[in-house]
């Protein structure tokens, strides 16, 4: 790898960063709405420290799972950085 020329990935990097920005904004909005609904219906205490594990379901669980999946997509950052060097 030391003797090769770095790849020019300007547009790939821009597209990747745009997808990450939109995905992160979507997760923030969905998470904020889910937490706000939870605070309104169950109380603010349940947002920070839930007493019933079965209450972690629905939209909030979906947002948490999407966040988990986004970490795999973010591994492309490392691949792009390696290819650019």
């Amino acid at each position: 790898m030391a003797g090769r020329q770095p790849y020019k990935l300007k547009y790939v990097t821009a597209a990747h960063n745009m997808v990450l920005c939109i995905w992160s904004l979507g997760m923030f909005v969905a998470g904020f709405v889910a937490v706000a609904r939870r605070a309104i219906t169950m109380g603010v205490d349940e947002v920070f420290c839930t007493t019933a594990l079965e209450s972690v379901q629905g939209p909030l669980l979906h947002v948490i799972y999407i966040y988990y999946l986004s970490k795999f997509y973010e591994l492309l950052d490392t691949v792009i950085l390696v290819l650019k060097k």
Side-chain angles (χ1 to χ4, degrees):
M1 292 202 48
R4 71 163 180 81
Q5 292 292 327
Y7 292 104
K8 293 175 176 57
L9 300 172
K10 180 179 176 181
Y11 296 112
V12 172
T13 303
H16 174 71
N17 287 334
M18 183 60 71
V19 169
L20 279 178
C21 286
I22 293 170
W23 196 343
S24 294
L25 178 64
M27 285 189 301
F28 171 76
V29 170
F32 183 81
V33 169
V35 169
R37 284 186 185 157
R38 184 180 184 92
I40 291 168
T41 58
M42 302 176 81
V44 177
D45 293 343
E46 286 292 319
V47 171
F48 297 105
C49 185
T50 186
T51 56
L53 291 178
E54 63 273 358
S55 68
V56 181
Q57 59 186 353
L60 186 57
L61 183 63
H62 181 73
V63 171
I64 292 169
Y65 183 66
I66 295 298
Y67 176 79
Y68 168 76
L69 292 178
S70 75
K71 298 298 129 188
F72 292 104
Y73 180 73
E74 288 181 16
L75 282 174
L76 283 178
D77 282 340
T78 306
V79 174
I80 290 171
L81 286 173
V82 168
L83 291 175
K84 288 173 74 172
K85 299 237 178 207

